[in-house]
Amino acid sequence: MKTFRIIVVVVALALSSFGNAQSKPAEYLEVIDALGLDDLRTTMLGVVSHGLNPKSYWSDNMEQLYQQGGSANPLLKTQANENYLRLLKDISLGVVNPESMGVDVKLKRKIFLTAPQLKVLLLASGNQATPLLESLAPQIAPYIALKESLRKLTDYCNQGQWEPLPAVKKEIKPGGANAALPAMKNRLRQLGYNVPSVDEIFDEATVAAVNDVQWMLKIKPDGKISPNGKTWKYLNVSCQDRARQVRLDLEKLRWFPQNFEDRYIFINLAMAYFSLVDKTGSSLYTMSFRTINGRAARKSPTMKDKIVYIVINPFWVVPPTIFREDKVEEIRNLPPWEVANYFQTRNYEVWNHSFTQRIDPTTIDWQNLDPNMDEQIYIRQKPNYMNALGVLKFMMTNSYAIYLHDTNQRELFAEPQRLLSSGCVRMERPLDLAEYLLQGTPWTREMIERYMAKPGEVLETETRVALKQSMPVYMAFLTSQLSSDGVLRFVDDTYNQGRRLLRQGAW
């Protein structure tokens, strides 16, 4: 472990010691040629642990040549060098270019290190292929956790320990008994749930695990297992399919920086969950809570950014998509005499595009509105407790109008299905986050609360507070996650990212 930490430090030094100009392929291959064929073969065959396909790098044909005395075959060594270089790029940058994934992935492809940097890392790795590969792999916690989950799943698959579940012929209720329960209990234990016994009794611990599974299914938990129902189907997904899910998530994580900062926020969009990690103090500080993220039609993007300031009592300027598809349609369904009341009761205003002139909404022909009118006028909501953004907004630097914020629908955090927003991320505990981010400033929790609009109060201005230090934010749509309680959880791929990855050769 100590040796590996030294290699990681050398990685950072190497990456900062040279410019970003890319080297020529021949320069990389000259560095790699110092590695032996046996070493390269062993490393490439072992990349399944990272969710990569070994045969993409060491093919059956290469193995046949190797068994026929390929150690002396210069063409085989040349091919191995080229494939290993591709492997190093894949483990560092990802097999699939994130820029080809579509509008819900807002990440640029990373830049691979230069040949001189690679040579430094090779020396630090003791001129061995596997340590060099590991030094370029992601070192972030979600990746490491999923890599361990993949190892366990692979063992279950290879050892035949993940067999199809017996059918449930009648509904199983808490306290009941069923012959199919031992197999289901064993599956729950394989996923990491604390289920002490594997008998036929639907006991309290098993009910708790089933309720958690139903939460992952985004249905209200009822503690029951129905014949061919969603809970039974979740537990009966094959080992191979679950392993594929994890492999695809490992690929997504390779798009991010190799290391996260000592302070960062990570939001799993698929699980609708927020995590904050701070390793700068004398002890590890964490914060976690639920979020509400973009629905399938208006996806929250996979991206990296940073929070730079907080807005207390924000205005909400209706985004163009919501303006066209939601607000205009609502207003068109109103009789003309109710338009003024619609705007007044919601604290909405209409402004010109430059916010220099307020417009009377009753003077606008909403029924025959120009399709491009959203480029000429804005609907804006005044700051108030029931503002769509709530009373706190956490601003980032992106140009996509994506940020974190409070909400006026706070009751929705109690729901298992929380992919409900139009793209931004709603926070369950925004005040806790604001208090943390504004530590070391005059803005204490009490002061923030004093400024926040109270129920029924409508304000005319918002208050912006700059952070002393920006806060990195990473957002990813991961359908698998090994949580801190040791449970491996899965959710459906409602954004359809997995299928897109497979089409582009992620495995």
Side-chain angles (χ1 to χ4, degrees):
M1 182 63 71
K2 183 176 180 181
T3 301
F4 184 71
R5 287 199 189 100
I6 293 172
I7 293 175
V8 171
V9 171
V10 173
V11 171
L13 290 174
L15 294 175
S16 63
S17 299
F18 302 92
N20 289 326
Q22 289 292 283
S23 303
K24 296 178 180 179
E27 295 175 297
Y28 289 112
L29 294 172
E30 183 180 352
V31 174
I32 291 171
D33 196 47
L35 295 167
L37 182 64
D38 291 346
D39 191 14
L40 291 173
R41 173 179 173 271
T42 299
T43 299
M44 288 189 276
L45 289 175
V47 295
V48 68
S49 66
H50 284 277
L52 295 170
N53 185 355
K55 291 188 178 182
S56 293
Y57 310 100
W58 188 267
S59 66
D60 291 340
N61 182 58
M62 292 174 70
E63 179 63 17
Q64 185 177 2
L65 291 174
Y66 179 82
Q67 296 299 335
Q68 294 173 355
S71 296
N73 186 332
L75 294 179
L76 180 59
K77 179 61 165 66
T78 298
Q79 184 65 59
N81 288 349
E82 293 173 353
N83 289 2
Y84 179 70
L85 174 60
R86 178 162 52 85
L87 170 58
L88 292 181
K89 291 181 178 179
D90 289 347
I91 201 76
S92 175
L93 314 178
V95 177
V96 175
N97 184 347
E99 297 176 54
S100 68
M101 281 293 291
V103 296
D104 59 313
V105 177
K106 305 291 189 184
L107 290 171
K108 296 290 185 182
R109 190 168 179 84
K110 295 183 292 185
I111 298 175
F112 191 59
L113 42 66
T114 63
Q117 290 171 329
L118 183 63
K119 188 171 184 179
V120 170
L121 296 187
L122 180 60
L123 292 172
S125 303
N127 287 311
Q128 294 180 311
T130 297
L132 176 58
L133 178 77
E134 293 296 333
S135 72
L136 289 174
Q139 309 299 321
I140 55 180
Y143 187 90
I144 293 170
L146 282 183
K147 188 165 172 265
E148 173 60 17
S149 298
L150 181 61
R151 183 192 65 78
K152 291 181 179 179
L153 285 170
T154 302
D155 286 345
Y156 292 141
C157 293
N158 293 341
Q159 297 170 18
Q161 297 176 345
W162 191 286
E163 298 179 351
L165 297 180
V168 174
K169 297 181 180 179
K170 65 177 183 178
E171 185 178 73
I172 311 174
K173 297 180 180 180
N178 192 287
L181 276 170
M184 284 189 282
K185 285 185 171 185
N186 185 58
R187 180 59 42 78
L188 289 166
R189 292 174 73 168
Q190 288 173 321
L191 291 171
Y193 289 100
N194 182 21
V195 178
S197 68
V198 288
D199 56 22
E200 297 185 2
I201 305 301
F202 198 11
D203 53 44
E204 191 173 310
T206 309
V207 171
V210 165
N211 284 340
D212 187 80
V213 165
Q214 292 174 344
W215 193 267
M216 291 300 102
L217 289 165
K218 296 181 169 58
I219 57 178
K220 282 285 188 181
D222 61 8
K224 301 175 184 178
I225 303 174
S226 302
N228 203 36
K230 290 183 177 181
T231 304
W232 182 86
K233 288 180 178 178
Y234 178 101
L235 295 175
N236 199 40
V237 172
S238 72
C239 185
Q240 291 78 12
D241 286 344
R242 287 307 191 198
R244 182 185 302 113
Q245 227 173 316
V246 173
R247 289 199 300 267
L248 293 173
D249 285 339
L250 287 170
E251 169 65 10
K252 298 173 193 177
L253 289 168
R254 284 189 280 269
W255 298 335
F256 289 93
Q258 185 187 33
N259 293 282
F260 288 163
E261 295 81 353
D262 288 339
R263 297 168 64 250
Y264 66 88
I265 289 168
F266 186 85
I267 299 172
N268 186 335
L269 300 170
M271 303 274 183
Y273 213 74
F274 169 105
S275 299
L276 182 150
V277 175
D278 185 345
K279 298 183 285 187
T280 61
S282 56
S283 59
L284 178 68
Y285 175 81
T286 61
M287 181 190 302
S288 59
F289 50 75
R290 296 169 184 169
T291 63
I292 294 171
N293 310 319
R295 52 190 183 272
R298 298 177 184 172
K299 303 175 180 68
S300 296
T302 293
M303 62 188 296
K304 61 176 181 177
D305 204 336
K306 56 186 177 182
I307 299 172
V308 290
Y309 67 88
I310 297 173
V311 182
I312 306 174
N313 305 317
F315 284 100
W316 178 50
V317 178
V318 179
T321 301
I322 301 176
F323 180 94
R324 291 189 303 270
E325 299 179 8
D326 298 347
K327 299 307 174 186
V328 171
E329 289 305 309
E330 287 179 4
I331 299 168
R332 281 175 175 165
N333 290 327
L334 297 174
W337 56 86
E338 289 188 9
V339 171
N341 184 61
Y342 174 89
F343 278 81
Q344 183 178 356
T345 56
R346 291 164 176 77
N347 297 300
Y348 287 167
E349 301 172 329
V350 181
W351 288 82
N352 65 355
H353 198 265
S354 59
F355 285 100
T356 57
Q357 182 182 353
R358 184 174 168 181
I359 302 169
D360 183 347
T362 63
T363 64
I364 298 173
D365 183 1
W366 297 100
Q367 298 299 326
N368 301 296
L369 197 67
D370 184 331
N372 297 317
M373 197 64 177
D374 61 294
E375 299 176 2
Q376 304 171 37
I377 63 172
Y378 282 123
I379 295 176
R380 187 175 75 172
Q381 187 176 35
K382 290 183 178 181
N384 69 94
Y385 185 72
M386 295 305 291
N387 181 291
L389 305 183
V391 292
L392 290 167
K393 179 170 71 168
F394 302 84
M395 285 303 297
M396 299 192 288
T397 66
N398 65 82
S399 60
Y400 318 115
I402 297 296
Y403 43 82
L404 319 182
H405 64 87
D406 182 21
T407 177
N408 60 352
Q409 296 178 300
R410 299 167 180 90
E411 72 281 358
L412 294 180
F413 291 107
E415 298 294 324
Q417 170 54 278
R418 299 192 305 282
L419 300 187
L420 303 168
S421 82
S422 293
C424 288
V425 179
R426 307 176 197 173
M427 320 296 287
E428 184 181 27
R429 291 164 46 193
L431 182 56
D432 289 347
L433 178 59
E435 179 187 19
Y436 166 84
L437 292 175
L438 294 177
Q439 289 179 98
T441 76
W443 289 89
T444 62
R445 187 184 187 95
E446 292 72 23
M447 187 172 179
I448 298 168
E449 287 182 307
R450 194 159 58 244
Y451 268 73
M452 284 167 29
K454 309 303 183 290
E457 184 180 12
V458 180
L459 305 176
E460 298 292 335
T461 59
E462 61 183 20
T463 302
R464 297 190 179 192
V465 184
L467 270 59
K468 290 183 65 176
Q469 181 182 0
S470 62
M471 186 66 174
V473 177
Y474 300 94
M475 295 163 50
F477 193 87
L478 304 181
T479 66
S480 58
Q481 176 175 291
L482 181 63
S483 305
S484 58
D485 60 1
V487 175
L488 178 57
R489 294 178 169 88
F490 298 93
V491 293
D492 290 338
D493 186 8
T494 54
Y495 283 14
N496 200 28
Q497 286 188 354
R499 186 176 299 176
R500 282 179 275 158
L501 282 169
L502 290 171
R503 281 201 302 261
Q504 297 197 52
W507 178 257

